[in-house]
Amino acid sequence: MSLSVRAGRVSDLDALVRSTLGNALDSEGLHLDATVVRRGVKAILDDPAKGRLFVAEAEGQVIGSTYVTFEWSDWHDAWYWWIQSAYVVPAKRGTGVWTALYRAIQAAARKEGNVRSIRLYVESNNESGLRAYRGHGMKEAPYKVFEQVL
């Protein structure tokens, strides 16, 4: 399999929507509204300040994707990059797709020069996600996430 990772583009919209819907279902058992997801993905494609999309492609097909959003740290005068909606199509899992995506994110963060860390949140019962992230050197942070839906 010839695998490449590149920036997401508008022509990837349908594949990115499928990936986001697949991520929500696989990781949290959620069935998201595809219309809302489409608007959300398009918003990132249209406005790079919202995030950076990373797409893994093989034989002209999108087989994995994720994106990064940004959080400024006044404590460190640097950025935290948050990985969002990581997804690899089921038939390609375990073939190095996530590794390629994660390495591309690391390389892009290093190139920026002012990224302190790469972070993500994962459902505590998402065993495959936990294995993948731990297997790539990520460590569990000592934080708990709080939320108030508005």
Side-chain angles (χ1 to χ4, degrees):
M1 171 176 67
S2 175
L3 176 66
S4 63
V5 175
R6 59 171 174 76
R9 49 188 181 233
V10 174
S11 61
D12 299 321
L13 181 61
D14 289 339
L16 291 166
V17 169
R18 283 191 302 273
S19 291
T20 300
L21 294 170
N23 168 269
L25 187 59
D26 285 359
S27 65
E28 299 185 36
L30 296 176
H31 294 275
L32 300 180
D33 182 325
T35 302
V36 173
V37 169
R38 177 173 292 281
R39 279 196 321 261
V41 172
K42 186 161 180 349
I44 294 171
L45 288 165
D46 290 344
D47 182 1
K50 286 185 170 56
R52 289 180 66 170
L53 285 152
F54 293 81
V55 170
E57 186 176 59
E59 290 94 40
Q61 298 293 314
V62 174
I63 59 171
S65 64
T66 191
Y67 65 93
V68 171
T69 57
F70 317 112
E71 174 188 353
W72 181 251
S73 171
D74 57 335
W75 285 18
H76 301 290
D77 187 30
W79 291 100
Y80 298 137
W81 278 18
W82 284 88
I83 294 173
Q84 308 279 335
S85 296
Y87 185 76
V88 175
V89 297
K92 299 297 183 183
R93 293 178 184 167
T95 65
V97 176
W98 170 247
T99 298
L101 284 164
Y102 188 59
R103 286 182 181 158
I105 292 168
Q106 289 174 308
R110 287 186 182 107
K111 185 175 180 181
E112 287 291 319
N114 63 344
V115 178
R116 177 170 171 80
S117 68
I118 299 168
R119 296 178 168 185
L120 57 79
Y121 55 89
V122 59
E123 288 289 313
S124 57
N125 63 352
N126 181 350
E127 291 301 324
S128 63
L130 291 166
R131 272 192 313 278
Y133 306 137
R134 288 177 178 140
H136 286 83
M138 296 188 92
K139 306 282 185 226
E140 190 169 341
Y143 308 107
K144 296 213 180 273
V145 176
F146 286 75
E147 176 181 46
Q148 181 179 27
V149 176
L150 302 175

